[in-house]
Amino acid sequence: MKIVFAGTPEPAVPSLRALAGSSHQVVSVLTRPDAPLGRKRVLTPSPVKRAALELGIPVLEADRLRGDVLTTLEELAPDLIAVVAYGALAGPRALAIAPWLNLHFSLLPDYRGAAPVQHALIDGRETTGVTVFRLDSGMDTGPILHQRATPIGPDETAGQLLTRLAAEGAGDLLRTVDLLASGGLEEQPQPVTGSHAPKLGSADARLDFGDPAAEVYNRYRGVTPAPGAWTLLAGGEPEPQRRAKLIELMPAPSGSPEVPAGSLLVHDGRVLAGAADGALELRLIAPPGKRAMTAADFLRGRPGARFETQTGDPA
């Protein structure tokens, strides 16, 4: 099959490489334009663009599917457009060019939207999966061609789980394309109702140690590495001067002592952070305006430090 691949971030790269190394022909790659990154705002090509150039595949760049890019796609006349996290909606003219097959990192209709992996972890799910479906005019509502479930590791973060699903899902996408080319697939319509997984912002990444320990840990996993977990140190300073980034957090070992919500305690060489019904082990923290350090080093420099809870400072 003659394929156009549409994708932008790193999780899309394994699928591009799988298709490029198959018996199918990837005639072009569609990705979003170079974006300014870092403090110096240097224009940087997307991971998919870098991979496409390495593979010698022509690249189209567009942040919206309209105008000249659609004319170019129509001239290419692909048999299929394969999509993994491209980042723009396809309208009627785009959908008329060829079937668009999307690899999505959830078991649809659960978690339609931009952040399915993150929301599944925040919700404490123990199972997720991948879905290959045909795009329609809705938000991840098109008919399903393939699904595969997988357990979530108890300590997997969003970054780790997304990397794994991207690597495994590349094979699912390629097998689906192979079956589609041979005429061996049937579409299954999705239920109308489903859950949604909108993009997460900084406010979603705040950990409240007044919540149960499992909820705090699940949110930490869901927002790591991005947007990045944080909490507020208790005190009278303005909020920006109290925002601490929580780099590494783990469940406390069994038998750990009780710790009041928001309090920090050193026990057996570990720093325990109290939650509503237990404690978590804090390993790495970046205090306001400083680089990451061990929690023990942080407490040596700031003895008596505590985390603010939404219901007020811990007693």
Side-chain angles (χ1 to χ4, degrees):
M1 298 183 78
K2 190 165 70 169
I3 298 173
V4 169
F5 182 83
T8 299
E10 188 64 39
V13 172
S15 290
L16 170 58
R17 293 191 183 278
L19 291 171
S22 72
S23 60
H24 305 285
Q25 180 187 10
V26 180
V27 295
S28 186
V29 163
L30 173 64
T31 191
R32 293 177 69 84
D34 296 359
L37 296 181
R39 291 184 177 180
K40 295 185 178 180
R41 310 302 289 167
V42 177
L43 278 179
T44 305
S46 74
V48 164
K49 179 180 176 178
R50 292 196 300 268
L53 294 176
E54 176 191 326
L55 293 165
I57 301 172
V59 174
L60 293 171
E61 296 181 56
D63 56 5
R64 295 183 181 181
L65 292 173
R66 64 184 186 185
D68 291 344
V69 68
L70 290 185
T71 300
T72 301
L73 289 176
E74 289 165 344
E75 291 170 350
L76 287 170
D79 300 309
L80 176 71
I81 300 174
V83 187
V84 185
Y86 167 55
L89 295 175
R93 181 182 169 189
L95 293 173
I97 294 170
W100 292 63
L101 260 60
N102 191 102
L103 172 64
H104 187 76
F105 300 118
S106 81
L107 297 174
L108 292 173
D110 288 345
Y111 300 112
R112 294 169 173 157
V117 170
Q118 293 89 333
H119 282 274
L121 289 172
I122 290 171
D123 290 345
R125 291 291 185 96
E126 297 180 354
T127 301
T128 187
V130 296
T131 301
V132 181
F133 71 101
R134 180 170 58 80
L135 284 183
D136 62 10
S137 58
M139 173 64 74
D140 300 332
T141 56
I144 292 170
L145 288 85
H146 168 81
Q147 281 190 322
R148 180 179 56 82
T150 184
I152 298 174
D155 295 319
E156 277 189 301
T157 64
Q160 293 165 342
L161 179 55
L162 186 55
T163 297
R164 178 166 69 85
L165 292 178
E168 296 174 355
D172 291 273
L173 178 61
L174 177 55
R175 286 189 290 273
T176 304
V177 172
D178 288 342
L179 287 171
L180 187 66
S182 66
L185 274 181
E186 291 186 6
E187 296 182 346
Q188 300 294 326
Q190 284 194 52
V192 174
T193 58
S195 59
H196 295 275
K199 183 178 179 179
L200 298 175
S202 178
D204 300 302
R206 179 180 180 180
L207 305 189
D208 179 9
F209 284 81
D211 290 335
E215 292 183 15
V216 176
Y217 186 53
N218 287 338
R219 183 165 294 275
Y220 160 78
R221 293 165 64 207
V223 300
T224 299
W230 61 277
T231 194
L232 292 179
L233 297 172
E237 300 93 343
E239 178 176 322
Q241 299 175 25
R242 295 188 288 124
R243 184 177 289 207
K245 299 176 183 178
L246 306 183
I247 311 300
E248 187 174 353
L249 194 66
M250 296 293 294
S254 60
S256 295
E258 292 186 7
V259 184
S263 296
L264 299 174
L265 172 72
V266 179
H267 176 74
D268 287 344
R270 295 181 171 91
V271 176
L272 304 180
D277 62 351
L280 295 164
E281 181 184 348
L282 178 63
R283 295 183 177 178
L284 290 176
I285 182 172
K290 296 184 179 180
R291 295 182 179 181
M293 63 181 68
T294 67
D297 285 344
F298 165 70
L299 276 184
R300 276 192 288 270
R302 194 162 178 167
R306 301 172 298 164
F307 293 151
E308 184 179 276
T309 63
Q310 296 280 44
T311 54
D313 288 348

